Amino acid sequence: MASAIQKIALNASRDIPFNKLVLSQSNVRRVKAGLSIEELARDIERRGLLQSLNVRPVLNDDGTETGSYEVPAGGRRFRALELLVKQKKLARTAPVPCVVREAGSAILAEDDSLAENLQRLALHPLDQFRAFRDMLGKGMSEDEIAAAFFVLPAVVKQRLRLMTVSDKLLEIYEQDGMKLEQLMAFSISDDHARQEQVWEIIAQSHNREPYLIRRMLTETTVRASDRRVRFVGLDVYLATGGAVMRDLFEADDGGWLQDPTLLDRLVLDKLQEVAEQVRAEGWKWVETALSFPWGHTRDFVEIEGTPVALSEEEVVRLTALHSEQETIEAEYAQADEFPEEIDMRLGDIEQAIEALEERPVSFDPADMVRAGVFVSLDSDGTLLAERGFVRPEDVLVARHDAPEGDDDAVVYHSAGDDGDGQGREGAPDTEPEEEDGLKPLSDRLLTELTAWRTLALRDAFAANPHIALTELLHTLVRDVYWQVSGADCLEAYVREISLPVHSPDMPGSLPAHALRQRNEGWKHDLPEDEDALWQWLDGLDDTSRLALLAHCLSFGINALHESSHGPSLARSVRERLARADRLATALTLDLAEAGWQATVENYLGRVTKARILEAVREARGDEAADRIAHLKKADMAQAAERLLEGTGWLPEALRTAHAPERTEREEGAARMTDSPDAVAAE
């Protein structure tokens, strides 16, 4: 006959006055963590004690009960009740619900204390979200929920943000099919269909990182840090009905704007308003665009304006600012660094001085009636108004100083130029879908890539007077000692090399912005009278002279690939590119640091699938390349653009070789053999 299963007996529970309770030395929790005693006391004050204390009778030396009870499990609750008693919010004799363990139990007090702490299971984030959602639905606000559970309102907002995630994805997460970080990444969008589509895509790959989910969900949006947003203003975009996608779980730099079409319309409308204001100044014409091609003013004649003189008040103000600046710098001349408030004051002074010294320019009305203005956005989102340019047909006196054979026609391909995917002079070269081999890059693409490299090389060259002077001396010594055609007095000249063929992203690039800023700075400093130029140059300090020399020489830098016909021209191009490589190496030029990044438009959509996979393989490894190998070319290019972002990968035409370390003897030998024949052989 089977024996009956022994039934367990639960410990008795009863109310014990608080003054009969003492904290046991057997409580294993010694380190404070999580919710503080003060917060727990406020929670008990609000909703009462939700969990009983675990207690044992205190025995005398002879083993009899004393009427007091020790608390081995529930020490934090005991301390919270003790705090309420001290605050006169709870009576010392108030009954406390307790589960009483019998005296002499075989279960140790430490055993109970440890079990109570270890066998608790933290609430699943999804359960927490559902509880917050239910409380919100029953009338509690987010702030009230946060106050009730002693968390920041941002935590409640984050959990409630999961309401935007598809129920299908919530079920997958609940069944441990995805991680919490992945689920939080999906909350950036409220488009359930797109969320599920993205999950189906990444679920089949090894890369399921949250950043990839966010990128795929925001690929048709515009970052709030975009220059167009800074120009229009996020408030204006929101006021016109635009929606912003925010990420409550990661720093999102302001979020993503979900309506690029609305944003572009607002930008163009504001540019048109500015154009009307500028036209009212008396100009013949005003052209507007988000950005103009690099070198767009080369065919125009620039008229000179006169800086508006400082008023007496402005002169006094400027003098006072300079005086204060000099006083502060003298006072802290021996200090390693300025105190924070002093540093901030110096920054304010510098901005005020710059605002006063950057004078507006006035133009002769007689010149303005035949000249115009280019209005666009600068790379930092500020308005860029280039005034005083005369079209060739409006020039009063014919020009005869243009370099012979200089072709300045602008060839600029952009998807938005003519509405048909073509540039001003034909469509960009593309590779047919079936051509998958590593065929050579087209001349057009090589020219665009090397135009980017030339621009970055100019910026690096102009910022390094030492290298600039070395290059100039190298050119001069070649002319003097190798009997290259001489000249009257000194025929060292710089002819600006035009960059008519380039990708659409180049005019707004970091090197382009730096060169424009540097050029405007020197133009502002030059004397108005050309006759005073030599004396002005002679009076500059050596540092300024070298900086100006480097800037002027940079316009002659030519690292362009050019299609060559005939061995002589081909050799000339090879020699020029070899010297450009040497210069790039000396300057440690890095096109990735200069801002170039592979996109569908500037590279990936212009090469074969094999080259796309080669790029991904070099940057991300074989596994990443294999994941996109089955895609069609257009999809592959889009996927590759996302994979290459932030990797610093560059096509071979844009890479800079590392300079090898040489001994003094090798350096001397190199200088001795650095001849035209040696360069040609190289």
Side-chain angles (χ1 to χ4, degrees):
M1 179 177 180
S3 59
I5 299 176
Q6 181 69 33
K7 301 295 191 297
I8 63 172
L10 299 179
N11 295 325
S13 175
R14 67 174 185 264
D15 291 341
I16 299 174
F18 178 77
N19 61 350
K20 296 295 184 181
L21 300 176
V22 293
L23 188 61
S24 172
Q25 296 301 313
S26 300
N27 193 300
V28 299
R29 185 186 292 276
R30 305 290 173 83
V31 180
K32 294 181 179 180
L35 198 66
S36 71
I37 299 299
E38 292 79 7
E39 290 174 344
L40 181 57
R42 291 200 298 270
D43 189 71
I44 294 174
E45 180 183 1
R46 174 176 176 268
R47 68 176 99 239
L49 193 64
L50 297 180
Q51 187 176 354
S52 300
L53 302 183
N54 182 290
V55 302
R56 293 169 180 246
V58 177
L59 305 179
N60 284 329
D61 294 337
D62 58 3
T64 60
E65 297 185 7
T66 63
S68 296
Y69 296 84
E70 63 176 354
V71 184
R76 293 183 66 252
R77 277 163 280 152
F78 174 82
R79 290 187 183 280
L81 293 171
E82 186 178 43
L83 178 61
L84 291 172
V85 170
K86 289 181 180 179
Q87 295 174 345
K88 309 298 184 182
K89 295 179 179 179
L90 181 71
R92 293 184 58 81
T93 58
V96 179
C98 299
V99 174
V100 183
R101 172 80 71 179
E102 70 277 3
S105 171
I107 305 297
L108 297 175
E110 289 85 357
D111 193 344
D112 282 344
S113 179
L114 186 63
E116 184 185 64
N117 286 283
L118 288 182
Q119 294 185 10
R120 289 185 300 180
L121 183 63
L123 192 65
H124 194 281
L126 197 56
D127 291 330
Q128 189 181 32
F129 149 66
R130 288 167 175 159
F132 285 170
R133 181 187 60 186
D134 293 343
M135 295 167 72
L136 189 71
K138 292 179 180 179
M140 291 185 69
S141 68
E142 293 176 353
D143 290 340
E144 289 172 337
I145 296 173
F149 292 95
F150 303 100
V151 296
L152 295 173
V155 174
V156 178
K157 292 179 184 292
Q158 287 178 346
R159 289 291 181 259
L160 292 176
R161 182 65 183 176
L162 297 179
M163 293 172 65
T164 63
V165 179
S166 159
D167 289 337
K168 178 180 178 181
L169 298 185
L170 290 175
E171 291 176 4
I172 293 174
Y173 170 63
E174 186 174 9
Q175 298 168 7
D176 296 329
M178 73 170 70
K179 298 178 181 178
L180 177 60
E181 292 79 8
Q182 295 168 325
L183 184 71
M184 292 189 300
F186 280 107
S187 72
I188 198 173
S189 169
D190 55 5
D191 186 342
H192 290 181
R194 178 57 178 162
Q195 290 174 356
E196 294 170 8
Q197 182 185 43
V198 168
W199 175 251
E200 290 175 2
I201 294 173
I202 68 169
Q204 301 173 12
S205 69
H206 296 288
N207 185 6
R208 304 182 186 181
E209 293 297 326
Y211 79 86
L212 180 60
I213 296 172
R214 290 186 176 91
R215 186 183 300 164
M216 295 177 70
L217 289 172
T218 59
E219 59 188 1
T220 59
T221 62
V222 177
R223 292 300 299 258
S225 57
D226 188 272
R227 60 175 180 154
R228 292 170 290 174
V229 183
R230 295 201 296 270
F231 176 65
V232 172
L234 185 59
D235 293 341
V236 175
Y237 169 80
L238 294 172
T240 53
V244 176
M245 184 185 299
R246 297 303 304 265
D247 188 350
L248 296 180
F249 299 97
E250 296 284 344
D252 60 8
D253 199 17
W256 295 263
L257 279 66
Q258 295 179 267
D259 195 341
T261 303
L262 172 62
L263 176 63
D264 287 339
R265 178 171 62 80
L266 293 173
V267 171
L268 292 176
D269 288 347
K270 187 172 180 179
L271 282 175
Q272 288 298 328
E273 292 177 8
V274 174
E276 292 302 321
Q277 296 171 7
V278 173
R279 186 177 286 108
E281 297 174 5
W283 300 101
K284 180 178 181 180
W285 53 266
V286 177
E287 286 192 24
T288 61
L290 288 178
S291 64
F292 290 100
W294 181 257
H296 62 285
T297 61
R298 283 179 56 83
D299 288 338
F300 294 76
V301 175
E302 186 174 1
I303 61 175
E304 294 294 332
T306 304
V308 177
L310 289 167
S311 66
E312 292 184 5
E313 292 180 357
E314 289 174 327
V315 171
V316 172
R317 172 68 173 155
L318 185 60
T319 303
L321 288 170
H322 277 299
S323 178
E324 183 181 357
Q325 183 183 46
E326 293 171 1
T327 301
I328 293 176
E329 291 176 348
E331 181 179 352
Y332 291 92
Q334 304 302 321
D336 293 334
E337 60 183 15
F338 295 110
E340 183 177 354
E341 63 277 6
I342 297 299
D343 192 46
M344 293 178 61
R345 177 55 186 161
L346 281 175
D348 294 339
I349 292 174
E350 289 173 359
Q351 290 182 2
I353 290 175
E354 183 179 356
L356 287 170
E357 291 182 341
E358 290 290 335
R359 306 304 300 160
V361 178
S362 63
F363 294 88
D364 187 338
D367 290 331
M368 295 173 65
V369 294
R370 58 190 178 91
V373 184
F374 293 99
V375 176
S376 61
L377 292 188
D378 209 343
S379 57
D380 61 354
T382 58
L383 184 70
L384 179 61
E386 301 171 279
R387 292 175 169 84
F389 291 93
V390 182
R391 291 170 174 154
E393 61 269 23
D394 294 330
V395 176
L396 298 181
V397 181
R399 297 173 61 199
H400 301 286
D401 56 349
E404 191 173 4
D406 191 14
D407 182 10
D408 291 342
V410 175
V411 183
Y412 173 56
H413 86 268
S414 172
D417 278 353
D418 298 317
D420 57 0
Q422 297 185 358
R424 298 186 184 179
E425 299 222 356
D429 47 82
T430 56
E431 298 294 342
E433 177 71 28
E434 64 274 7
E435 293 187 12
D436 289 340
L438 282 173
K439 60 181 295 186
L441 300 182
S442 66
D443 286 340
R444 170 64 176 256
L445 180 55
L446 271 175
T447 301
E448 288 187 10
L449 293 175
T450 52
W452 229 106
R453 187 179 191 229
T454 298
L455 191 70
L457 191 57
R458 287 180 181 179
D459 179 38
F461 183 91
N464 194 321
H466 178 80
I467 296 295
L469 182 58
T470 303
E471 185 68 15
L472 174 62
L473 290 174
H474 179 268
T475 301
L476 296 178
V477 171
R478 287 177 58 245
D479 289 344
V480 171
Y481 289 97
W482 293 338
Q483 305 303 314
V484 181
S485 57
D488 181 22
C489 190
L490 173 64
E491 280 222 8
Y493 67 92
V494 178
R495 179 175 64 86
E496 182 177 356
I497 306 301
S498 64
L499 304 175
V501 179
H502 60 73
S503 57
D505 62 332
M506 196 182 81
S509 65
L510 293 176
H513 180 71
L515 284 168
R516 275 197 302 267
Q517 293 292 99
R518 190 181 290 113
N519 194 52
E520 288 300 318
W522 282 115
K523 186 186 295 185
H524 175 270
D525 292 342
L526 288 174
E528 299 179 14
D529 185 2
E530 186 176 347
D531 294 336
L533 178 60
W534 200 95
Q535 287 81 3
W536 181 80
L537 291 171
D538 187 53
L540 287 178
D541 60 83
D542 287 344
T543 301
S544 299
R545 288 158 63 87
L546 287 175
L548 178 57
L549 172 66
H551 174 67
C552 293
L553 289 176
S554 70
F555 287 94
I557 294 295
N558 187 353
L560 283 170
H561 164 83
E562 294 175 329
S563 55
S564 54
H565 302 284
S568 177
L569 182 57
R571 182 171 62 253
S572 175
V573 172
R574 284 198 304 272
E575 292 175 4
R576 172 162 50 78
L577 292 179
R579 294 191 179 102
D581 289 342
R582 178 182 61 199
L583 195 57
T585 299
L587 291 164
T588 61
L589 180 70
D590 187 337
L591 266 292
E593 290 184 1
W596 192 91
Q597 183 169 293
T599 65
V600 173
E601 193 171 24
N602 69 11
Y603 183 80
L604 298 169
R606 317 272 297 284
V607 297
T608 62
K609 293 174 67 174
R611 282 203 177 273
I612 297 175
L613 293 175
E614 179 189 45
V616 174
R617 188 171 289 109
E618 289 179 356
R620 290 289 191 182
D622 293 338
E623 183 180 337
D626 293 342
R627 288 202 305 269
I628 65 172
H630 67 284
L631 299 176
K632 293 183 178 180
K633 180 177 175 180
D635 296 333
M636 180 187 290
Q638 291 282 355
E641 179 178 324
R642 293 193 294 267
L643 288 170
L644 292 176
E645 183 180 347
T647 64
W649 180 87
L650 297 171
E652 189 174 355
L654 298 185
R655 297 174 188 174
T656 299
H658 295 291
E661 295 183 359
R662 295 181 176 180
T663 64
E664 290 185 7
R665 181 175 298 178
E666 289 173 333
E667 288 285 355
R671 288 193 292 269
M672 293 293 291
T673 58
D674 194 7
S675 64
D677 293 338
V679 175
E682 181 186 3

